[in-house]
């Protein structure tokens, strides 16, 4: 870490004296602390690894299609699921499963998804990575109340929607920033499909309760396809696998264990010991603990999603194939890269996606290939395994040297530069630019059609997510982007005492959107901010 460059980038954000106080004396502690979160141990015996077959989420079928629009319906409901073998766990689900059903859409076609809330709590659905009008983006106080809720229940839910410890939340200006945005029972979200092929996901985004909502099961894949990607000879069909990686912990009765400050979830937040993030001791892939998959000696496309609340992973294959470069990255949050990038391992923060191709023909028949987490210890160092078959097969797939046309944003087009500091305050908790989140209060007002440079700086670790438009990382700490920053991104891994610069172009839709930390415990405790596109 070059402290001088970091101070030069960040001094205009906090003031030189303030930044020195945060970054310099405590730098050794920050880097030693490294990854966020505190482990929450399960209270029951955990199963052996690599016993459960990998499940693949079902693909949701449209209920009808009209012209250029496809219509889907999802019921949010409580379900009893067998996540750990022989144990029943009550989950909050999309459509009765965890993960929820995968929605597959086509670029250029409008998708309308109607959600019906049969949960015991309000919800908000955000299409993460979606290029979406503001009224369908999943603004955190646009509540979908449970079926049968009354007006009094709506007011009560709004009053308890705020981050923990924020006084007077119910009466804040902007709490209901637009009339009629709270709806009872059912709500339709419209996604116009004006974006390229990409691996997206949808999840609960209710203010103050995103952490427990996602932890209990409210997450699913949303895949966008287009002609450019479809023309490539990439692995497809059963060899195109979405993999949702998430850590969880379980109570003695098999229920999800989560350290809410109010176990009844009447008030938001977690207990003080878990304020920097909740880490589970069970690694789930597509809702199964440490699963296994039989693979042929062919190429497979793995759509890797970190759906954990706070856990970071460094994913590697063990053993590595001869010559290394086991994970060939073809895509990022916002779709295909211009050209493939080979890695021995990939560091993936909460909410990030990496599309990679693995060629299992590089292994001898009968090899067990483990997907491991080098940032984990004990059981959390294992993720899943692939058992390579001896069957003779012919591979009709390949990874071309050129994947897609990716426009590079130019710094010469920048109309303004904005600084955003993510840090923890001794008095106000997790804050952006010195302020706790206030719905309806924008800290930036970019204009439609313009390109801006946004500079993020941190004290501890914060995966930063920007709604509406993807961005391109142009530098870290005054140097080049990191090895995992390629392509269009919507979430960037901001490490302790780090400064990252991105370019973002605001297109198509005006209105109120968000940027926030995607450590869900940080998010629930006020590390969010509004920006309004005009």
């Amino acid at each position: 870490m070059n402290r001088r460059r970091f101070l030069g980038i960040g001094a205009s954000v906090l003031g030189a004296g303030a930044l020195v106080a945060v970054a310099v004396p405590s730098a050794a502690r920050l880097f030693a602390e490294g990854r966020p979160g505190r482990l929450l141990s399960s209270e029951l015996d955990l199963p052996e690894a690599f016993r459960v077959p990998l499940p693949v989420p079902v693909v949701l079928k449209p209920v009808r299609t009209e012209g250029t629009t496809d219509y889907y319906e999802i019921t949010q409901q409580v379900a009893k699921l067998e996540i750990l073998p022989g144990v029943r766990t009550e989950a909050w689900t999309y459509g009765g499963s965890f993960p929820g059903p995968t929605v597959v859409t086509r670029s250029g076609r409008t998708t309308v998804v109607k959600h019906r809330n049969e949960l015991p709590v309000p919800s908000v659905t955000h299409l993460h990575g979606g290029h979406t009008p503001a009224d369908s983006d999943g603004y955190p106080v646009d509540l979908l109340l449970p079926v049968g809720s009354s007006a009094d229940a709506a007011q009560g839910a709004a009053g308890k929607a705020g981050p923990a410890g924020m006084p007077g939340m119910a009466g804040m200006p902007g709490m209901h920033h637009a009339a009629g945005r709270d709806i009872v029972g059912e709500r339709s979200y419209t996604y116009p499909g004006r974006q390229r092929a990409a691996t997206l996901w949808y999840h609960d985004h209710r203010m103050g309760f995103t952490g427990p909502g996602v932890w209990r099961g409210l997450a699913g894949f949303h895949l966008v396809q287009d002609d450019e990607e479809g023309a490539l000879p990439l692995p497809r069909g059963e060899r195109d696998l979405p993999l949702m990686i998430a850590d969880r912990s379980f109570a003695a009765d098999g229920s999800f264990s989560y350290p809410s400050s109010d176990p009844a979830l009447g008030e938001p937040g977690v207990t003080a010991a878990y304020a920097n993030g909740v880490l589970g001791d069970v690694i789930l892939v597509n809702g199964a603990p440490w699963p296994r998959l039989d693979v042929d000696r062919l190429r497979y496309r793995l759509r890797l999603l970190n759906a954990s609340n706070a856990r970071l992973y460094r994913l590697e294959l063990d053993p590595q194939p001869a010559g290394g470069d086991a994970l060939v990255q073809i895509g990022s949050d916002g779709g295909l890269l211009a050209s493939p990038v080979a890695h021995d391992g990939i560091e993936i923060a909460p909410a990030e996606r990496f599309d990679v191709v693995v060629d299992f023909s590089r292994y001898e028949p009968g090899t067990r290939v483990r997907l491991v987490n080098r940032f984990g210890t004990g059981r959390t160092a294992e993720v899943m395994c692939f058992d390579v078959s001896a069957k003779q097969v012919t591979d009709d797939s390949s990874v071309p040297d050129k994947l897609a046309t990716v426009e590079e944003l130019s710094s010469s087009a920048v109309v303004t530069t904005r600084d955003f500091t993510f840090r923890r305050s001794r008095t106000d908790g997790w804050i952006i630019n010195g302020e706790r989140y206030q719905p309806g209060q924008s800290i930036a007002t970019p204009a439609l059609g313009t390109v801006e440079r946004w500079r993020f700086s941190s004290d501890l670790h914060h995966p930063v997510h920007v709604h509406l438009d993807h961005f391109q990382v142009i530098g870290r700490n005054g140097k080049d982007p990191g090895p995992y920053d390629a392509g269009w991104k919507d979430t960037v891994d901001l490490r302790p005492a780090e400064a990252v610069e991105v370019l973002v172009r605001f297109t198509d839709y005006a209105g109120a959107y968000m940027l926030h930390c995607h450590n869900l415990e940080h998010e629930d405790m006020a590390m969010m901010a509004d920006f309004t596109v005009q």
Side-chain angles (χ1 to χ4, degrees), residues 347 458-462 476 483-484 493-500:
E347 295 179 17
S458 65
D459 55 356
L460 302 176
H461 184 278
H462 304 292
R476 285 182 180 267
Y484 314 111
D493 187 17
L494 190 62
R495 300 180 182 90
E498 189 167 46
V500 173

Side-chain angles (χ1 to χ4, degrees), residues 305-356:
L305 160 64
N306 182 353
S308 301
N309 282 30
R311 183 179 291 279
L312 301 169
Y313 298 83
R314 179 176 171 83
L315 300 175
E316 297 181 8
L317 295 182
D318 185 16
Q320 288 274 330
D325 292 341
L327 304 173
V328 178
Q329 183 186 358
I330 60 171
S332 188
D333 302 339
L336 290 174
L337 306 182
S339 301
V341 179
H343 303 278
D344 288 331
I346 285 177
E347 295 179 17
I348 180 169
E352 285 190 299
R353 284 90 67 210
F354 287 85
D355 279 16
V356 302

Side-chain angles (χ1 to χ4, degrees), residues 20-45:
V20 169
V22 171
V24 176
S26 58
R29 176 184 60 79
L30 295 180
F31 283 109
E33 191 170 296
R35 296 175 291 277
R38 180 185 179 94
L39 185 68
L40 178 64
S41 297
S42 294
E43 299 173 347
L44 73 177
D45 293 335

Side-chain angles (χ1 to χ4, degrees), residues 84-102:
L84 302 181
V87 177
R88 305 294 288 180
T89 299
E90 182 177 284
W92 295 349
T93 73
Y94 295 115
S97 66
F98 170 57
T102 297

